[in-house]
Amino acid sequence: MAQINVIGQNGGRTIELPLPEVNSGVLHEVVTWQLASRRRGTASTKTRAQVGKTGKKMYSQKGTGNARHGDRSVPTFVGGGVAFGPKPRSYDYTLPRQVRQLGLAMAIASRQEAGKLVAVDGFEIADAKTKNFVSWAKQNGLDGSEKVLLVTDDENARRAARNVSWVSVLPVAGVNVYDILRHDRLVIDAAALEIVEEDAGEEQQ
């Protein structure tokens, strides 16, 4: 069990969550799967049947002293088709749900172990102004020296933080392993944190 301090309106509280032991192999597997699904897969080359070359034989088979050749669309000539070149395809593949959920829990655990996890009960931002979020951030030790991932369903907080250069904003439904690991600090709704860890705990049983 890991004890996590939660910033809140009433002076904060502490929650205990069953964070798993961080396994770099699982994290690598989940990040690889996530980035593979983002690949566009639009690279394409033309085969010898698709290039704009005539199919006529270049010259006589015999008597010229040159090597034997057919048409100019073969891969050996400049401007000819490409042999075994890339074609549009999907790089997406299936990763078990249990592995995905465990990877997310491990990513959160890695930030907790590093002391870079901030759980929040409420941001107390009355309106969606950037200066209000910057003020809240300074009060809670966020001064812009680190890249911060803000995960919350608080619309005012998301709108207030989206123009801050060192903050990336995601709704709770969009939290993912890759974005957690590529940021120095994670700021997340406490309620969402408890839900994520409950799901991971169920998968481990």
Side-chain angles (χ1 to χ4, degrees), residues 97-140:
R97 183 168 61 93
Q98 293 91 338
V99 179
R100 300 198 305 265
Q101 290 182 335
L102 183 60
L104 181 57
M106 287 182 178
I108 293 173
S110 69
R111 289 294 166 263
Q112 167 63 14
E113 290 179 1
K116 302 295 185 179
L117 175 63
V118 180
V120 183
D121 263 338
F123 289 88
E124 306 176 46
I125 297 178
D127 50 22
K129 291 187 179 295
T130 301
K131 64 179 181 180
N132 292 340
F133 177 82
V134 172
S135 176
W136 177 91
K138 287 183 178 179
Q139 292 174 6
N140 292 281

Side-chain angles (χ1 to χ4, degrees), residues 168-188:
S168 300
V169 181
L170 285 177
V172 171
V175 63
N176 62 85
V177 175
Y178 175 66
D179 282 324
I180 291 175
L181 296 180
R182 73 186 185 92
H183 288 81
D184 301 312
R185 189 176 291 268
L186 172 63
V187 179
I188 187 171

Side-chain angles (χ1 to χ4, degrees), residues 5-65:
N5 295 323
V6 180
I7 300 172
Q9 301 178 13
N10 301 319
R13 61 189 175 95
T14 300
I15 58 176
E16 290 188 352
L17 297 176
L19 293 175
E21 183 179 351
V22 178
N23 185 316
S24 59
V26 173
L27 291 176
H28 179 270
E29 187 173 0
V30 176
V31 170
T32 301
W33 163 79
Q34 191 176 334
L35 295 182
S37 64
R38 293 184 182 185
R39 295 183 67 176
R40 297 178 61 189
T42 55
S44 183
T45 54
K46 291 182 178 181
T47 66
R48 62 180 296 180
Q50 295 171 317
V51 295
K53 299 290 184 180
T54 178
K56 182 180 178 181
K57 187 171 176 63
M58 297 172 60
Y59 44 74
S60 298
Q61 179 80 347
K62 296 177 179 293
T64 65

